[in-house]
Amino acid sequence: MIPYGHQSIDDDDIAAVVKVLKSDRLTQGPYIDEFEEGLARRVGARFAVAFANGTAALHAAAAAAELGPRDVVVTSPLSFAASANCVRYVGATPGFVDIDPATLNLDPHRIPQDCAGLVAVHYAGLPMDLAALPHRPPLIIEDAAHALGAMTPDGPVGNCAHSDMCVFSFHPVKAITTGEGGAVTTNSSDLVDRLRAFRHHGIVPKPAGGGWYYEIDHLAYNYRLTDIQAALGTSQLGKLDRFVARRQALAVAYRERLAGLSLELPPEPPPGFTHAYHLFPVRVRDRRRVYDGLHRAGIGVQVHYVPIYRHPIYRDAFPNAAFPNTERAYEGLLSLPLFPDLTEVEQDLVVEVLAGLL
């Protein structure tokens, strides 16, 4: 089976993990700092805080922003549920804004002026143009789970040029992996302190009471990343440019080989932007038949995503959801295999089988 996404692990990555396994500290050790500093440097942010996974990172960002029950925070319905769940985790109310069919990202001109915040999803790895917002919500969290390595006219995604925080995921199918893992980048010293406390039980050291003494003054979680994972992440981070360049090359090849076929290709990045190509989502007619045919041929395509408001956990709150652009996109979306180790022979097979099903 050719999967839609897959990690790329080599001997350097394995050696980095083994080194930690042979050390004295498997967690809460020096490799966390090394990974966070490397990530912050790579994306041009002042700070990075690592978490156990991307969902934990989104939760932490919502909590650090001190969102609460009176706040409405909007996001894209064309995303994984975590983009909205993080708002509910802190007692705030999620809202949805229809997508722009030209980008498949949330339409910036539809954002209500009275919302408390925005979770801006960079769908498939194409950055949402936050500089184009007609008005800036009080809070902007970038959900950049797909977009590590992407660029905007203001620099790398993650530098928070137009946001308060930016969230990444390091799941195995993402640009780099720590097995499971996530991170939040920010330029705010206040937010970084809240993020660090939130991932570590809310512990605040109080050395005046003794070297052991600490206090917990708010509810928080154990959302820590291990040093084992951080060492893998640091090793992977050194290969990010190569990984993204390979994804971009595969995307170019798909565009060339699929041109003229009866499908819609993914949006291309506008001038000044680069696409990280976490996904290569085409849109086809009779998706179920095409999906089943590709799977029978050993090609593990996937659909990204079932719109969030369709899930039972959201359906009751949005019984008459009217997001026509999202619905039109969802009807045909199909993510083709795209990952750095995908071979030309495998890509040729994907194109050949897909063409025969259209």
Side-chain angles (χ1 to χ4, degrees):
M1 175 71 74
I2 303 172
Y4 85 86
H6 195 267
Q7 70 272 12
S8 297
I9 301 292
D10 62 20
D11 290 343
D12 289 344
D13 299 317
I14 295 168
V17 170
V18 170
K19 183 177 179 181
V20 180
L21 290 172
K22 292 181 176 180
S23 73
D24 293 329
R25 300 283 295 275
L26 300 187
T27 190
Q28 296 179 261
Y31 292 91
I32 299 294
D33 290 343
E34 182 181 1
F35 178 52
E36 290 176 339
E37 290 165 6
L39 178 63
R41 187 166 54 248
R42 176 61 178 77
V43 302
R46 286 183 66 197
F47 308 107
V49 183
F51 287 88
N53 51 65
T55 299
L58 281 166
H59 185 187
E66 299 181 327
L67 294 171
R70 290 186 295 275
D71 297 320
V72 175
V73 179
V74 298
T75 191
S76 171
L78 191 64
S79 183
F80 185 60
S83 303
N85 288 351
C86 64
V87 178
R88 296 183 67 178
Y89 292 156
V90 295
T93 301
F96 298 111
V97 172
D98 205 3
I99 63 171
D100 179 349
T103 65
L104 302 184
N105 283 325
L106 176 153
D107 186 339
H109 299 284
R110 296 176 183 265
I111 297 171
Q113 294 197 20
D114 59 349
C115 68
L118 165 67
V119 177
V121 178
H122 302 317
Y123 178 77
L126 177 62
M128 179 182 170
D129 187 359
L130 295 174
L133 291 173
H135 55 89
R136 190 197 194 281
L139 169 72
I140 297 179
I141 298 170
E142 296 177 70
D143 182 343
H146 294 182
L148 181 61
M151 297 286 291
T152 77
D154 296 296
V157 169
N159 69 359
C160 301
H162 298 285
S163 69
D164 300 283
M165 289 172 278
C166 183
V167 177
F168 294 107
S169 168
F170 309 123
H171 182 276
V173 297
K174 299 303 197 305
I176 65 169
T177 188
T178 57
E180 287 279 5
V184 182
T185 59
T186 185
N187 295 319
S188 166
S189 54
D190 289 336
L191 287 172
V192 76
D193 288 344
R194 292 180 212 155
L195 290 164
R196 287 170 178 159
F198 190 78
R199 75 168 174 196
H200 189 43
H201 306 283
I203 287 175
V204 179
K206 299 285 186 178
W212 70 90
Y213 191 73
Y214 62 87
E215 293 180 352
I216 297 175
D217 60 8
H218 64 282
L219 186 65
Y221 297 80
N222 177 359
Y223 277 165
R224 296 189 302 264
L225 194 74
T226 69
D227 279 56
I228 301 166
Q229 294 167 293
L232 175 57
T234 298
S235 180
Q236 288 262 301
L237 194 58
K239 302 161 191 170
L240 175 61
D241 289 342
R242 172 161 59 87
F243 287 166
V244 173
R246 176 59 178 161
R247 288 176 178 272
Q248 291 169 338
L250 288 165
V252 169
Y254 269 137
R255 290 186 185 279
E256 292 173 348
R257 297 176 193 187
L258 297 173
L261 295 182
S262 151
L263 53 70
E264 291 184 59
L265 294 170
E268 294 201 60
F273 289 77
T274 63
H275 201 310
Y277 283 110
H278 165 58
L279 301 173
F280 194 85
V282 299
R283 282 167 279 178
V284 300
R285 289 191 290 271
D286 196 3
R287 178 181 58 195
R288 180 63 179 270
R289 181 182 59 81
V290 176
Y291 174 96
D292 289 345
L294 286 162
H295 272 258
R296 282 194 299 269
I299 299 168
V301 292
Q302 187 54 279
V303 174
H304 296 93
Y305 293 94
V306 176
I308 299 173
Y309 54 78
R310 282 182 168 228
H311 294 295
I313 193 173
Y314 285 97
R315 194 182 299 146
D316 289 345
F318 297 90
N320 300 307
F323 304 103
N325 294 334
T326 300
E327 286 295 314
R328 278 194 293 270
Y330 170 63
E331 285 174 5
L333 279 171
L334 201 62
S335 297
L336 303 184
L338 184 66
F339 50 92
D341 292 339
L342 185 72
T343 67
E344 291 183 12
V345 171
E346 289 171 327
Q347 190 176 39
D348 287 341
L349 177 61
V350 173
V351 172
E352 179 185 347
V353 175
L354 177 60
L357 291 165
L358 296 176

